[in-house]
Amino acid sequence: MTEKRRSRGVHLLCTACAPLICFLGAGSVQAGAAWEMFEARCLDPFEHQAEPVVDGLEQLSSLPWQRGYLDGAGRLLVLDAAPEDGLRSCEVSEKGGAALDPSFVNWVTDVTARRLYASVDGVLASVEWIEPQVHVEAFVWNGGATYRVLETDLES
């Protein structure tokens, strides 16, 4: 996925619902908590072929294909039911991180050592334990971090 696609997706959300602009302009939050939120609300459900968990979050927008939610600490969760690169995705972003959470780095080390995921074209792709394949990626952007899981239409 290119940065252009990400920017367009954020732009579509922002034009549909002004509260997302508040996320982009808000101050920093507790760095590192996005990984925990992502793991519990996005990654674990996707690995178990379940729906992401949005209970207790404030819904910001609802487009035909995309929904945005904020938690009480200012972290943004975005569900995309029609991403360009797969079947559905869930991502969590937070402002204030200059690097990825060390817990994410430890998770990557663990799941690659156990051969649950393998690095493919810059993302972690699940291997034979789940189908369709799940991809996990993380990146740091200007003043924040984002963690994303994608359910693909690919077989392991």
Side-chain angles (χ1 to χ4, degrees), residues 43-80:
L43 181 59
D44 188 60
F46 270 57
E47 288 183 339
H48 292 91
Q49 299 177 333
E51 291 299 313
V53 179
V54 296
D55 297 345
L57 301 178
E58 174 189 356
Q59 186 168 348
L60 297 176
S61 67
S62 184
L63 299 173
W65 68 94
Q66 210 168 47
R67 295 187 322 257
Y69 300 87
L70 270 181
D71 74 353
R75 287 175 287 275
L76 177 67
L77 183 145
V78 176
L79 304 177
D80 192 337

Side-chain angles (χ1 to χ4, degrees), residues 10 13-14 17-30 34 37 58 60 68-78 91-97 139 141-147:
V10 170
L13 276 174
C14 287
C17 187
L20 286 180
I21 295 170
C22 294
F23 170 74
L24 296 174
S28 64
V29 297
Q30 176 190 355
M37 180 177 171
E58 174 189 356
L60 297 176
Y69 300 87
L70 270 181
D71 74 353
R75 287 175 287 275
L76 177 67
L77 183 145
V78 176
E91 68 182 54
V92 173
S93 298
E94 73 179 336
K95 292 190 72 172
F139 57 95
W141 43 275
N142 188 21
T146 297
Y147 302 91

Side-chain angles (χ1 to χ4, degrees), residues 81-94:
E84 290 180 354
D85 53 349
L87 300 176
R88 64 185 180 130
S89 69
C90 182
E91 68 182 54
V92 173
S93 298
E94 73 179 336

